[in-house]
Amino acid sequence: MELKRVVVTGLGSVTPVGNTPEETWANLLAGKSGAAPITQFDATNFKTQFACEVKNLNVTDYIDRKEVRKMDRYCQLAMISAMQGVKDAGLDLEKEDKNRIGVVYGVGIGGIKTFQDEVTYYGQHMADGPKFNPFFIPKMIADIASGQISIHFGFHGPNYTTTSACASSSNALADAFNLIRLGKANIIVSGGAEAAICECGVGGFNAMHALSTRNDDPEHASRPFSASRDGFIMGEGAGCLILEELEHAKARGVKIYAEMVGEGASADAHHITASHPEGLGAKLVMLNALEDAGMKPEDIDYINVHGTSTPVGDVSEAKAIKDVFGDHAYKLNISSTKSMTGHLLGAAGAVEAMVCVLSVQNDIVPPTINHEEGDNDEQLDYRMNFTFNEAQKRPVNAALSNTFGFGGHNCCVVFKKYAE
Amino acid sequence: MSEIESKVKAIIVDKLGVDEAEVKPEASFTNDLGADSLDTVELIMEFEKEFGISIPDDKAETIQTVGDAIKYIEENAK
């Protein structure tokens, strides 16, 4: 059977640098950092006391107060991104066949704050017996965001979550893409969310020595591909891409941001948290995605890397890019928007895919900020263009987004300019 | 309004997101105030916490209205 073509017709996002896609995109191009001291809990006793939090978001502007209470923060952010995406796509819900609209949202952890609160309460009141809130489980579980979104809109199509740590929402996009390609849905509201800036989240990642501890200078802490990088900065947020079957989009006469043309997945099969030192899984996943897209390495103009600003991960990914792209690795642009958003964990794939889509649409690449002259890691090849500090205008016909998760999961998605 | 009554009403307003004017003694949690089965369980738990009581499941099932809750708590609160 002939696979159907899939286009992006709507965007939604809530990130540490903006509460809408427009605001996020403008701040990314301007090189603004979303990092600041943690406000969601008292982090005085934590090794890391800063993060990239979503700011000035009034959740009840979007979600009814009564419903807000029944959602963990990750689910609230997911819902808001989906509401923005559905609105942006101009869907007329009265006319659409809702049995043909699905929701696939990726989440790395789920409602960790809800879990923390409930277990803490139990720990403090054990003598009274178990007094768990009836909303504990339905708030906490990782799949509830896709469920809540379907309930809100009445979408009866395929519905589930994808969980592969920091690759979760790339896997969501990949699955959504495949469901539409196979003719199983007209539209999938796809994306991802995470909100883990709580004691358990920060303390847990601190225990692994995964987070930057540059507490005296949060805005400059996320510095992928600089020698002085010392770990990632935890972010929170959500991203939504409305993926739609091309003929369905054309019949609606809706704007098309870009075409999704390929996805790849692989595993490092190496270590639970460390990436493969030679970037084996990273290499495989990009090759898989290019093959799926029917593209050559030379067709890619921009790679939004996983690039979390950890000592090992950035090097192995750069190696993988050189292995896959050869001399073209010096011609394409590479950037890590995590230098500004922090690491959005389960939301990273969706938000970074959105960045690729907007790069393709606007022919501009957002920067990797915080690189200082001479702060070069001898394990990296600076003939590669890491798009340091300033956005760069260039034709972007096609862009690729990498995400890698603890467990060794790798996922890669490819977008290109839409043309008949 | 007794102290128990005002506390019960405040919990209901908070948890069910309804106007205080709707929280009349005869109002049923599920039929009038939009509560589902999980909301009802949560309400009972909040009453237990607020008033330091334990409401057994068979009694909880009989608490269907605002008035039922106030009456039960008035009779059982320490």
Side-chain angles (χ1 to χ4, degrees):
Chain A
M1 81 182 254
E2 196 180 332
L3 293 175
K4 296 180 188 303
R5 291 172 68 184
V6 180
V7 291
V8 181
T9 57
L11 299 174
S13 69
V14 184
T15 77
V17 295
N19 294 340
T20 61
E22 294 76 14
E23 195 187 349
T24 292
W25 180 237
N27 282 330
L28 291 178
L29 293 182
K32 283 195 184 163
S33 167
I38 289 170
T39 65
Q40 292 179 54
F41 68 94
D42 179 3
T44 310
N45 293 329
F46 285 69
K47 275 195 287 190
T48 296
Q49 297 160 7
F50 64 100
C52 286
E53 295 179 325
V54 166
K55 297 158 195 77
N56 305 317
L57 178 70
N58 193 357
V59 175
T60 50
D61 286 351
Y62 290 88
I63 310 169
D64 183 69
R65 194 189 71 87
K66 190 182 163 195
E67 295 306 311
V68 166
R69 223 172 45 73
K70 299 178 186 175
M71 295 179 190
D72 183 88
R73 182 169 172 84
Y74 99 84
C75 184
Q76 296 169 6
L77 300 179
M79 178 65 86
I80 293 170
S81 68
M83 286 172 161
Q84 291 176 354
V86 167
K87 188 176 177 203
D88 186 43
L91 286 177
D92 183 344
L93 298 179
E94 298 299 312
K95 287 188 189 154
E96 288 298 326
D97 178 356
K98 292 184 191 173
N99 295 344
R100 299 276 302 164
I101 304 179
V103 183
V104 182
Y105 252 62
V107 181
I109 304 171
I112 187 169
K113 176 66 162 58
T114 297
F115 192 91
Q116 174 184 301
D117 291 346
E118 288 291 326
V119 173
T120 300
Y121 184 88
Y122 175 62
Q124 291 167 344
H125 299 82
M126 253 183 221
D128 304 336
K131 295 278 182 194
F132 291 99
N133 188 288
F135 295 105
F136 168 28
I137 301 298
K139 273 172 81 172
M140 178 270 293
I141 50 181
D143 60 290
I144 204 69
S146 48
Q148 288 277 22
I149 293 165
S150 74
I151 292 164
H152 179 77
F153 291 105
F155 294 153
H156 296 283
N159 189 293
Y160 55 91
T161 195
T162 51
T163 294
S164 47
C166 306
S168 296
S169 55
S170 298
N171 278 119
L173 298 177
D175 274 21
F177 173 60
N178 287 328
L179 286 166
I180 298 170
R181 281 205 289 189
L182 292 169
K184 294 182 186 294
N186 296 335
I187 294 169
I188 305 277
V189 178
S190 61
E194 203 80 77
I197 303 175
C198 60
E199 290 87 336
C200 279
V202 173
F205 280 103
N206 259 164
M208 288 189 289
H209 299 276
L211 301 179
S212 168
T213 54
R214 202 180 292 268
N215 292 315
D216 57 347
D217 192 11
E219 289 189 16
H220 299 102
S222 187
R223 44 178 71 197
F225 306 111
S226 290
S228 57
R229 66 191 184 280
D230 73 328
F232 75 79
I233 288 70
M234 194 185 290
E236 61 171 357
C240 172
L241 278 74
I242 305 295
L243 297 184
E244 185 165 357
E245 192 270 315
L246 174 62
E247 295 307 319
H248 190 271
K250 279 161 77 173
R252 292 200 302 124
V254 70
K255 71 177 177 304
I256 292 172
Y257 283 96
E259 181 168 0
M260 184 165 176
V261 288
E263 58 88 9
S266 76
D268 278 6
H270 169 66
H271 185 268
I272 52 171
T273 58
S275 54
H276 189 282
E278 297 303 315
L280 181 67
K283 189 171 136 181
L284 272 176
V285 82
M286 287 187 274
L287 289 170
N288 290 345
L290 287 171
E291 186 187 2
D292 188 48
M295 293 170 98
K296 299 187 293 293
E298 298 76 49
D299 295 329
I300 300 296
D301 302 303
Y302 169 44
I303 300 176
N304 185 300
V305 287
H306 187 57
T308 57
S309 190
T310 56
V312 178
D314 291 6
V315 171
S316 58
E317 186 175 12
K319 274 186 191 165
I321 290 172
K322 272 178 77 172
D323 281 349
V324 171
F325 291 87
D327 280 349
H328 188 65
Y330 302 127
K331 295 176 187 150
L332 48 76
N333 274 70
I334 293 164
S335 80
S336 171
T337 41
K338 289 187 180 79
S339 58
M340 299 171 275
T341 62
H343 191 352
L344 303 175
L345 308 176
V351 170
E352 290 161 21
M354 180 182 91
V355 169
C356 287
V357 165
L358 291 170
S359 281
V360 162
Q361 190 198 25
N362 297 294
D363 290 318
I364 187 165
V365 172
T368 304
I369 67 165
N370 293 330
H371 183 66
E372 289 161 24
E373 188 71 34
D375 189 10
N376 288 1
D377 181 342
E378 60 188 23
Q379 303 169 89
L380 290 167
D381 180 350
Y382 289 92
R383 286 175 295 171
M384 294 164 89
N385 181 357
F386 293 108
T387 324
F388 283 132
N389 302 331
E390 298 272 339
Q392 289 177 15
K393 285 186 183 167
R394 65 163 292 158
V396 184
N397 187 57
L400 172 158
S401 166
N402 279 337
T403 55
F404 313 140
F406 282 166
H409 323 286
N410 310 296
C411 190
C412 178
V413 291
V414 188
F415 299 90
K416 72 172 188 184
K417 278 194 201 299
Y418 166 68
E420 291 282 334
Chain B
M1 201 186 302
S2 74
E3 193 185 338
I4 285 176
E5 192 175 347
S6 62
K7 279 185 181 171
V8 165
K9 285 187 174 176
I11 289 169
I12 294 167
V13 166
D14 178 50
K15 297 298 173 194
L16 300 184
V18 290
D19 276 348
E20 196 176 344
E22 295 174 68
V23 188
K24 295 173 187 149
E26 66 276 18
S28 150
F29 298 132
T30 50
N31 298 333
D32 302 316
L33 301 176
D36 63 18
S37 58
L38 295 180
D39 290 317
T40 313
V41 176
E42 193 187 31
L43 276 181
I44 296 293
M45 285 185 59
E46 286 302 316
F47 297 148
E48 289 179 326
K49 275 190 209 169
E50 178 67 35
F51 299 103
I53 56 175
S54 181
I55 306 176
D57 285 353
D58 59 332
K59 296 288 180 214
E61 281 164 22
T62 66
I63 301 176
Q64 305 272 351
T65 67
V66 177
D68 292 344
I70 293 167
K71 182 163 177 283
Y72 182 88
I73 294 161
E74 279 175 345
E75 285 168 3
N76 292 279
K78 288 158 195 160

